[in-house]
Amino acid sequence: MHLWVFSIHVLVILCSSTIHAKTVVETLATDDRFQIFVRQLNKTDLLQDLDQYPSATVFAPTNEAFDSRMTIVQTKEMTRAELLYHILPQSILTDEWYNGELLETSYTQDGKPQKIKLTNNSGKWSLADNVNIVDADLKTDNGVVQVVDGLLTPPKDLVQTLAEHKELDTFCTLAKKAHIETELKRANGYTIFATRDVLDGLTDAEKAYLNHSEAKEDIALVLRHQISDSDLYFGKIPAGKTLVKTLQGEDLELVSDKNNNNQVTVNGAKIVQSDILASNGVIHILEKSILPKNHDFLKMNLRKALIGMNATKFVSLFENNGLENYLNTKDAYSIIAPPNGELDEHTIPRNEIRSWLKYHLISQKYDINNFTDGLLVKSESNDHLSKNEKQRILIHIIDQDQMPISAMKKSIQFNHATLIGNPVTVENSIIYPVSRSLELPLDPLSRLPLNLDLSTFVASLYSSNTADEIKSAQGITLLVPTNKAFERLGILTKHLLQPNSQQKLARVIKFHAIKNRLYYINETKQGEYHVPTLDGHSEIQINKTVDGRMYIRGSGAGDGSDRSVIAKVVHPDMLVSNGVIHKIDRIEIPSTLQVSNRDLLLAENTNNFVNLIHKTNLSDQILDGLDQPYTVLAPSDRAFAKLNITNLLQNPDELLRVAKLHILPIALPKMSLQPGQGSNRFDEKPTEGDNEEGDDRDNHSDITGDGVEFSSLLEHEPLIISQIDPGYIIQVKRDIRHSADVVDIGRGSNGGGVIVIDRVLLPYDQAEHNHPLAWWVTLLVAIGVLLCATLIGALGYYGWRWWKERREGYISLDEEH
Ligand SMILES: *[C@@H]1O[C@H](CO)[C@@H](O)[C@H](O)[C@H]1NC(C)=O
Ligand SMILES: *[C@@H]1O[C@H](CO)[C@@H](O)[C@H](O)[C@H]1NC(C)=O
Ligand SMILES: *[C@@H]1O[C@H](CO)[C@@H](O)[C@H](O)[C@H]1NC(C)=O
Ligand SMILES: *[C@@H]1O[C@H](CO)[C@@H](O)[C@H](O)[C@H]1NC(C)=O
Ligand SMILES: *[C@@H]1O[C@H](CO)[C@@H](O)[C@H](O)[C@H]1NC(C)=O
Ligand SMILES: *[C@@H]1O[C@H](CO)[C@@H](O)[C@H](O)[C@H]1NC(C)=O
Ligand SMILES: *[C@@H]1O[C@H](CO)[C@@H](O)[C@H](O)[C@H]1NC(C)=O
Ligand SMILES: *[C@@H]1O[C@H](CO)[C@@H](O)[C@H](O)[C@H]1NC(C)=O
Ligand SMILES: *[C@@H]1O[C@H](CO)[C@@H](O)[C@H](O)[C@H]1NC(C)=O
Ligand SMILES: *[C@@H]1O[C@H](CO)[C@@H](O)[C@H](O)[C@H]1NC(C)=O
């Protein structure tokens, strides 16, 4: 029954549609499914307009299509434009469609009918994401109604369309950086061949540069190479090869292969997604980027690479100081570039900014692997140096072994600036991004005081009036002895530091300033040779060993055999504005510098002893002679204070004997009051490179712990000098009850010298005479002897008696039997 009624109903409907033909409008209006759509059409007067269409296709969304966007519909009515986009000004049935076909709608913008793209989804047609044909081909008098389950949105302009496509993000960002969005918005029928990774195929440096907003013209260049000003919808691309002019000017070669599934390539890159519709153009996505054919189209140079590394402040400094040539040169450089965040503008030295900037340029291209620890590379800066020389930068490589295996990169420092990223190679040059800007080397007078253990030298520079000469000398090597080296010279140092020795001190200082620059590592030549110093009279000897150590020798001890006077470089290569400083552990004396025993004695204030020598008729040779060496054992004034010499002074013969006892007719024995190397390092913070490992300079003492005998000018009265810990003692061999400690030592220029002692030495008999026993000691001894004698006497007497009694007792006992 019900089935029968239903069949009639269907029949009636079918008859009415064929017999009583309806218009599109009537079809829509009488179908409940389109109530909302019809109401919207009616509101925008489109219902009447539609009636005028000779033929039309309407994509009619069902009520549900609206409901699915309920929120939007309830608040916002569809515009006439949106509605027009659902209407085609021609009647077209689905069996005439093909996949990818573009249908022109009644909605036009700038005179261009906006299109709808048809997609065959495994037999089902869809018009956009989530808009499918659910009921196809409702035929009417003047057209056809296609029922859809969603609302169509007209295409947006190229810029918005790019932005809505996730995979075209990069293109979109770059378009904004290049300021070409305006052009894209205004375009009327552009085609964009976009890619996911627009910059694919460029070097890292180029990519980084193009990512920077300063590069906007070059970005535009890259993007405009991917844009044509004609609208090349996929279906319009002719078969075979076509050349299409781009906005950048170069042609793109499009190849359409009708046999191969209509595949189209652009400069060899396949179109993987075609016809992304925009209101004013169309976008095709390529599998890979297309770049201008000329590889060097960006004309990368150091400037552009630096911009890519965010070193724009650095670039501006070069440009504002007339050094822009360095940034577009073809010459090879290694550039040490602090990015903006690391460049502290307060540290830029305003008065030598050009020199400072040039200090960041190494004059050759060094790859990471070219760097070795301690290497001194040449910069472009050369103020304060002679013409052909360059300021150096010290390379420091942090031990890789201490880094985790994953961090295989070397950690490199340029002076104190650490490498913070991958170096970037451009043209013939390379750029190293670093953690801070470099500082120009300080002048020596500013640099030296930073080392506390060089304070004596610094004081000497000023007291000898050589500071200015050292500072203004161009291109020198300054050998700077440590404070300990000064101490080691003992009395000689005291002499040199006396105000009236200023000239001599100046010569010693200048003897330590070599006239050219001897960088320590791999630059100072090997072997033994002399080099001129600022002390015009003398050359200093260099001994650079095969294993890379450097020794320095001045005149040394008398016969030149004393290795203990050889200086060793303990900390090389401190860079200063006018050269380089090496720290050394000995002071070297120019051979022509004259220091007599008298100089040493006066420096030590041994006035009593000098007076004593004067009173005798000993030869001037001993105090002032510079030929034959004498070693003078000089008791300090304090030593004389312990002794009453009134008698001595009244007796010229004795006086002479005492004086002679203090004079050895030999060169100063090798002995040093400095504790052994390495034993008192605690007071000195060990700096890197200060490795004073023992070497053959340490075995330098002529004196042993068992004592060594020396004859003095006083015949038959030899002396013994023994090493004790610490220091030395001196004794008269025949009178070893008394000994004098060695207080200070100093060598004169002829090999002789002065040993200051804390006690006056006396000949054996004099010693007796001068040390009478006190009366109470005598008394005590006498009493002691007396007591002993009495005791022995008493013991003897009683012993005798006991023996006698025993003997007699035995006899009497014998007699009793
Ligand atoms: C269109 O709207 C008018 C009133 O605004 C109404 O009279 C007419 O019936 C509507 N037409 C349809 C088909 O809904
Ligand atoms: C649509 O796709 C189906 C299956 O993919 C195919 O069988 C049919 O021929 C296609 N229709 C058109 C018009 O391309
Ligand atoms: C590009 O620049 C943006 C900021 O402008 C930054 O977030 C992004 O990391 C940069 N990309 C590269 C590869 O440097
Ligand atoms: C440059 O700076 C941006 C942000 O300021 C950063 O995202 C980018 O990684 C930097 N590039 C380089 C190479 O340091
Ligand atoms: C760096 O090393 C390469 C290969 O070892 C060498 O050819 C080049 O000359 C070196 N560069 C410098 C500046 O030493
Ligand atoms: C010095 O030269 C030696 C041998 O030629 C080399 O092994 C060493 O790495 C060099 N050192 C520096 C700092 O250049
Ligand atoms: C130079 O040093 C080497 C190694 O220490 C040494 O054998 C040689 O005698 C030294 N030459 C001079 C003149 O000191
Ligand atoms: C030193 O010589 C002078 C004369 O040359 C003499 O008068 C004096 O007595 C001598 N003194 C001694 C200590 O021999
Ligand atoms: C030193 O000795 C002399 C003579 O023996 C004596 O006259 C004098 O007072 C003594 N001086 C001192 C300070 O003891
Ligand atoms: C230096 O002396 C020490 C012991 O005092 C000895 O072990 C060492 O071998 C000596 N060195 C030389 C080079 O003679």
Side-chain angles (χ1 to χ4, degrees):
M1 175 73 176
H2 280 289
L3 190 68
W4 186 79
V5 172
F6 180 75
S7 307
I8 296 284
H9 192 88
V10 170
L11 197 67
V12 167
I13 289 175
L14 282 176
C15 290
S16 64
S17 62
T18 46
I19 299 164
H20 308 286
K22 283 187 190 170
T23 62
V24 169
V25 171
E26 280 165 345
T27 310
L28 290 172
T30 52
D31 193 329
D32 285 351
R33 289 183 293 174
F34 310 123
Q35 273 176 350
I36 303 180
F37 184 57
V38 169
R39 199 163 61 226
Q40 302 263 3
L41 286 173
N42 195 13
K43 262 191 197 153
T44 51
D45 299 334
L46 266 175
L47 216 48
Q48 290 147 319
D49 294 357
L50 194 52
D51 248 351
Q52 314 302 315
Y53 276 57
S55 71
T57 305
V58 176
F59 294 106
T62 59
N63 296 337
E64 289 77 19
F66 286 89
D67 278 348
S68 67
R69 316 195 314 173
M70 200 162 57
T71 48
I72 299 168
V73 170
Q74 283 177 343
T75 54
K76 181 179 165 261
E77 300 286 311
M78 278 178 89
T79 62
R80 190 177 154 90
E82 281 171 322
L83 290 165
L84 273 173
Y85 189 60
H86 288 77
I87 299 165
L88 312 183
Q90 55 172 323
S91 171
I92 177 163
L93 294 168
T94 49
D95 54 11
E96 297 165 63
W97 293 0
Y98 58 88
N99 187 26
E101 184 174 2
L102 301 178
L103 302 176
E104 291 189 347
T105 70
S106 299
Y107 173 53
T108 60
Q109 198 175 322
D110 295 333
K112 281 193 180 295
Q114 295 300 304
K115 297 178 181 356
I116 287 177
K117 187 178 173 187
L118 302 173
T119 311
N120 177 358
N121 265 336
S122 344
K124 277 176 76 182
W125 290 106
S126 66
L127 308 175
D129 285 347
N130 299 321
V131 185
N132 303 305
I133 307 283
V134 288
D135 195 355
D137 301 333
L138 307 188
K139 290 184 190 126
T140 71
D141 253 7
N142 62 341
V144 52
V145 173
Q146 310 284 3
V147 186
V148 294
D149 61 354
L151 302 182
L152 298 168
T153 3
K156 300 187 175 127
D157 67 45
L158 280 167
V159 175
Q160 282 173 298
T161 310
L162 285 169
E164 279 173 11
H165 273 78
K166 266 264 170 292
E167 62 257 71
L168 300 180
D169 222 25
T170 342
F171 194 101
C172 193
T173 316
L174 288 173
K176 282 190 185 130
K177 280 190 178 156
H179 296 281
I180 60 171
E181 323 104 287
T182 332
E183 184 178 1
L184 290 183
K185 268 197 202 319
R186 290 203 196 119
N188 193 356
Y190 276 7
T191 304
I192 299 181
F193 298 99
T195 30
R196 247 161 269 263
D197 188 356
V198 185
L199 304 180
D200 194 25
L202 292 174
T203 65
D204 287 347
E206 289 167 331
K207 283 186 196 172
Y209 164 63
L210 289 177
N211 192 32
H212 204 281
S213 49
E214 287 236 353
K216 71 170 191 239
E217 275 153 33
D218 284 326
I219 302 172
L221 198 72
V222 173
L223 297 187
R224 288 161 69 84
H225 182 64
Q226 315 190 357
I227 303 172
S228 156
D229 65 357
S230 53
D231 46 3
L232 290 163
Y233 294 101
F234 191 77
K236 272 170 55 178
I237 297 171
K241 208 184 272 187
T242 324
L243 291 183
V244 174
K245 204 153 213 73
T246 65
L247 298 184
Q248 176 253 353
E250 207 173 295
D251 282 336
L252 294 179
E253 187 184 83
L254 272 56
V255 178
S256 172
D257 186 352
K258 295 287 174 200
N259 300 326
N260 185 2
N261 203 15
N262 277 351
Q263 183 180 292
V264 175
T265 58
V266 181
N267 279 7
K270 252 188 270 173
I271 292 183
V272 290
Q273 191 180 343
S274 60
D275 289 336
I276 297 172
L277 299 174
S279 60
N280 58 346
V282 61
I283 302 168
H284 307 297
I285 300 185
L286 304 182
E287 64 175 350
K288 60 179 194 212
S289 67
I290 45 173
L291 296 168
K293 288 201 185 70
N294 176 6
H295 270 292
D296 194 28
F297 70 97
L298 282 179
K299 299 191 177 58
M300 279 302 279
N301 56 21
L302 286 170
R303 181 181 174 276
K304 292 184 177 182
L306 283 166
I307 287 172
M309 298 168 84
N310 287 345
T312 48
K313 281 190 202 167
F314 191 64
V315 167
S316 309
L317 284 169
F318 270 83
E319 288 173 343
N320 297 338
N321 289 284
L323 296 175
E324 60 275 359
N325 284 349
Y326 281 113
L327 301 183
N328 40 41
T329 174
K330 297 270 182 231
D331 296 342
Y333 289 106
S334 307
I335 299 195
I336 300 164
N340 293 352
E342 323 296 340
L343 178 69
D344 182 358
E345 275 159 292
H346 300 291
T347 64
I348 303 170
R350 294 292 158 194
N351 49 350
E352 42 187 1
I353 184 162
R354 281 167 61 92
S355 184
W356 177 80
L357 285 168
K358 287 199 249 170
Y359 193 51
H360 289 78
L361 297 174
I362 302 174
S363 335
Q364 269 178 300
K365 183 186 173 199
Y366 282 88
D367 295 325
I368 287 223
N369 294 329
N370 287 116
F371 290 129
T372 47
D373 193 32
L375 185 69
L376 290 166
V377 292
K378 290 180 186 170
S379 77
E380 277 295 294
S381 169
N382 75 340
D383 291 8
H384 310 292
L385 297 173
S386 34
K387 273 228 156 55
N388 301 325
E389 301 188 59
K390 304 282 189 195
Q391 289 291 357
R392 304 303 180 96
I393 297 165
L394 178 63
I395 304 295
H396 180 44
I397 296 185
I398 290 152
D399 196 357
Q400 286 180 80
D401 297 344
Q402 286 169 15
M403 298 172 77
I405 295 165
S406 59
M408 284 303 282
K409 261 183 293 171
K410 284 188 198 175
S411 175
I412 297 184
Q413 282 186 344
F414 304 87
N415 287 351
H416 296 293
T418 308
L419 181 65
I420 54 170
N422 287 327
V424 173
T425 306
V426 202
E427 292 274 326
N428 303 317
S429 297
I430 187 165
I431 307 175
Y432 290 93
V434 290
S435 62
R436 55 189 277 192
S437 38
L438 301 181
E439 281 165 39
L440 280 168
L442 297 172
D443 72 70
L445 300 187
S446 313
R447 176 67 180 83
L448 283 170
L450 302 181
N451 291 64
L452 295 181
D453 61 339
L454 302 179
S455 57
T456 312
F457 185 83
V458 175
S460 307
L461 276 177
Y462 290 101
S463 65
S464 65
N465 266 333
T466 46
D468 287 340
E469 188 176 345
I470 294 293
K471 183 179 172 183
S472 58
Q474 290 203 330
I476 55 166
T477 304
L478 198 56
L479 304 166
V480 180
T482 57
N483 293 351
K484 266 163 94 184
F486 276 94
E487 277 168 35
R488 173 180 280 275
L489 283 193
I491 311 171
L492 180 53
T493 295
K494 288 181 187 160
H495 169 61
L496 291 174
L497 295 182
Q498 283 185 309
N500 54 9
S501 310
Q502 205 190 44
Q503 302 280 331
K504 288 186 193 173
L505 182 59
R507 286 200 56 201
V508 172
I509 297 279
K510 289 197 262 177
F511 189 53
H512 286 79
I514 300 171
K515 273 184 174 166
N516 42 41
R517 296 196 301 166
L518 298 177
Y519 291 106
Y520 186 72
I521 292 189
N522 283 21
E523 287 199 43
T524 304
K525 74 171 192 278
Q526 265 172 22
E528 297 157 14
Y529 46 92
H530 286 85
V531 287
T533 65
L534 288 191
D535 173 40
H537 310 291
S538 327
E539 298 200 319
I540 202 165
Q541 191 197 29
I542 304 286
N543 181 11
K544 179 92 184 288
T545 63
V546 181
D547 60 1
R549 281 178 297 176
M550 190 157 125
Y551 296 101
I552 288 121
R553 180 165 207 156
S555 76
D559 60 0
S561 69
D562 184 357
R563 299 192 57 77
S564 72
V565 300
I566 298 173
K568 181 181 171 184
V569 172
V570 289
H571 188 148
D573 294 335
M574 287 186 253
L575 300 172
V576 287
S577 60
N578 61 345
V580 61
I581 293 177
H582 303 309
K583 195 197 278 191
I584 58 175
D585 63 354
R586 302 280 195 278
I587 300 178
E588 298 304 323
I589 304 296
S591 57
T592 52
L593 188 84
Q594 297 191 341
V595 178
S596 66
N597 283 347
R598 184 189 298 277
D599 292 328
L600 298 173
L601 288 169
L602 293 179
E604 191 64 24
N605 275 326
T606 51
N607 300 317
N608 285 331
F609 182 73
V610 174
N611 285 341
L612 188 140
I613 298 282
H614 276 226
K615 290 218 162 64
T616 68
N617 275 351
L618 286 169
S619 139
D620 289 346
Q621 177 68 22
I622 290 162
L623 291 190
D624 302 313
L626 293 165
D627 308 329
Q628 201 211 326
Y630 286 97
T631 297
V632 177
L633 309 175
S636 62
D637 282 358
R638 193 179 290 184
F640 276 98
K642 291 181 198 162
L643 193 72
N644 187 342
I645 54 165
T646 317
N647 282 340
L648 206 55
L649 291 175
Q650 283 160 3
N651 183 343
D653 287 343
E654 267 318 302
L655 191 66
L656 185 61
R657 292 185 72 218
V658 171
K660 280 180 164 179
L661 185 61
H662 286 85
I663 294 160
L664 313 179
I666 53 164
L668 186 71
K670 295 173 201 164
M671 49 201 286
S672 164
L673 285 179
Q674 290 252 320
Q677 303 284 8
S679 61
N680 72 338
R681 299 287 310 279
F682 53 83
D683 55 346
E684 214 179 283
K685 197 169 159 238
T687 16
E688 233 164 312
D690 280 10
N691 48 340
E692 296 185 30
E693 77 269 5
D695 50 43
D696 61 352
R697 299 173 310 154
D698 290 347
N699 294 13
H700 59 273
S701 190
D702 279 346
I703 312 294
T704 65
D706 297 335
V708 177
E709 185 174 322
F710 292 93
S711 23
S712 66
L713 289 186
L714 183 62
E715 280 171 35
H716 313 303
E717 195 73 286
L719 299 172
I720 307 282
I721 307 183
S722 329
Q723 192 174 25
I724 54 160
D725 195 20
Y728 302 92
I729 53 167
I730 300 183
Q731 293 162 308
V732 175
K733 189 181 179 190
R734 289 200 289 154
D735 178 20
I736 55 168
R737 290 165 308 162
H738 305 116
S739 65
D741 285 344
V742 172
V743 179
D744 210 346
I745 303 172
R747 193 188 295 277
S749 50
N750 64 353
V754 170
I755 299 175
V756 178
I757 52 181
D758 69 345
R759 191 182 186 104
V760 181
L761 300 172
L762 294 172
Y764 180 58
D765 43 349
Q766 266 281 329
E768 281 307 303
H769 187 257
N770 249 281
H771 297 278
L773 295 174
W775 62 267
W776 52 272
V777 179
T778 320
L779 192 69
L780 272 179
V781 171
I783 292 170
V785 168
L786 213 65
L787 279 174
C788 283
T790 318
L791 205 68
I792 290 165
L795 278 175
Y797 171 72
Y798 285 112
W800 175 78
R801 274 194 54 180
W802 175 81
W803 176 80
K804 204 170 169 211
E805 277 165 18
R806 267 204 56 158
R807 199 181 151 84
E808 279 167 6
Y810 173 75
I811 293 167
S812 59
L813 200 70
D814 215 27
E815 282 166 2
E816 275 171 23
H817 282 279

